[in-house]
Amino acid sequence: MKLFYSPNSPYARIARVAAIESGVASAIEHVQVRNRASESPLLDCSPVGRVPTLVSGELVLCEARNICSYFGALTGSVQFFPRRNDWVSLSLESMIVGFLDGVAVWIRERRRNTHEQSGFLLQVEEQRAKRCLAYFERQVAASPPGLNHWSFAEIALACALEIMEFNSLVEGWPDDCPALKSWLHDRSTRTSMLETRPL
Ligand SMILES: N[C@@H](CCC(=O)N[C@@H](CS)C(=O)NCC(=O)O)C(=O)O
């Protein structure tokens, strides 16, 4: 199997963490690529050209969620996802993915030249992120079942928070969200998280 990734992609990091956690990492050739590069070898495998992309024989899988699901299926024992009708956990997972998507848009916008950046978009994403942080703080403090298991949702939340912090997007969030800060600290020290830290 080949896993195309870029070191600072939080989506690719989710797949890399899941590979380590499920014990399949040693069976994977990790191929580092540059996003949006026209000469990227990833484009020979996928017309979409996004990371993460997993190639397993004839199969080409995009989307971190699908790739985590595939790793879970390969092992037969690791379960990254709630039951199909566990709507409470799926609700939380959808909030986390929405938060991650917003953070990714925010980072992408800030990478553009200053005069090309949309002040409106930056403001929208800042507000979204702050609302989500307050929401996750309440969830973690109440400790619902979905936030006690090292699931796809938990991995995605940890990766989203760390890339947000890495890019210094929301100053002072740990003071405003002490329960979330402590939750993240417990996850950040896992081997799978340490081995995949952004550069
Ligand atoms: N929904 C996708 C998002 C993947 C994604 O947006 N990856 C970014 C890197 S963070 C990428 O490959 N961007 C390059 C591009 O858009 O061409 C997932 O869950 O895997």
Side-chain angles (χ1 to χ4, degrees):
M1 285 184 286
K2 271 188 191 174
L3 180 65
F4 291 93
Y5 77 102
S6 60
N8 290 354
S9 161
Y11 299 98
R13 189 179 184 197
I14 296 170
R16 292 157 68 209
V17 168
I20 296 170
E21 294 286 347
S22 57
V24 301
S26 58
I28 295 174
E29 179 191 348
H30 288 75
V31 184
Q32 184 176 332
V33 291
R34 216 156 42 84
N35 288 336
R36 300 184 176 172
S38 55
E39 77 287 358
S40 171
L42 171 55
L43 298 178
D44 297 335
C45 303
S46 160
V48 176
R50 284 194 191 146
V51 294
T53 296
L54 182 78
V55 179
S56 178
E58 296 291 303
L59 179 70
V60 179
L61 264 186
C62 305
E63 295 293 317
R65 195 180 202 286
N66 292 337
I67 295 171
C68 292
S69 189
Y70 188 72
F71 291 156
L74 279 184
T75 65
S77 54
V78 179
Q79 187 48 268
F80 290 118
F81 296 95
R83 289 186 319 277
R84 197 179 280 271
N85 59 355
D86 179 353
W87 301 115
V88 173
S89 298
L90 287 169
S91 160
L92 186 58
E93 182 189 299
S94 62
M95 298 295 173
I96 290 169
V97 171
F99 169 60
L100 171 58
D101 288 345
V103 166
V105 167
W106 192 359
I107 293 170
R108 224 167 274 157
E109 189 64 16
R110 287 201 346 161
R111 281 205 197 114
R112 284 150 56 95
N113 293 327
T114 316
H115 68 278
E116 287 174 344
Q117 293 178 13
S118 158
F120 173 71
L121 193 58
L122 294 174
Q123 195 184 19
V124 165
E125 295 310 341
E126 179 173 355
Q127 287 170 354
R128 191 197 319 278
K130 287 182 173 169
R131 284 194 308 270
C132 288
L133 287 170
Y135 174 83
F136 298 137
E137 173 67 10
R138 290 195 298 275
Q139 295 291 316
V140 169
S143 195
L147 278 168
N148 285 322
H149 164 66
W150 193 226
S151 59
F152 167 79
E154 278 215 347
I155 296 171
L157 181 55
C159 292
L161 290 170
E162 286 205 345
I163 202 68
M164 180 190 83
E165 205 165 44
F166 183 76
N167 285 276
S168 308
L169 294 181
V170 183
E171 295 297 332
W173 77 267
D175 295 334
D176 296 335
C177 306
L180 191 58
K181 173 190 166 190
S182 147
W183 177 91
L184 180 61
H185 180 265
D186 291 347
R187 273 84 192 158
S188 298
T189 46
R190 291 178 79 100
T191 305
S192 57
M193 290 296 286
L194 292 172
E195 285 185 4
T196 57
R197 287 169 83 155
L199 304 176

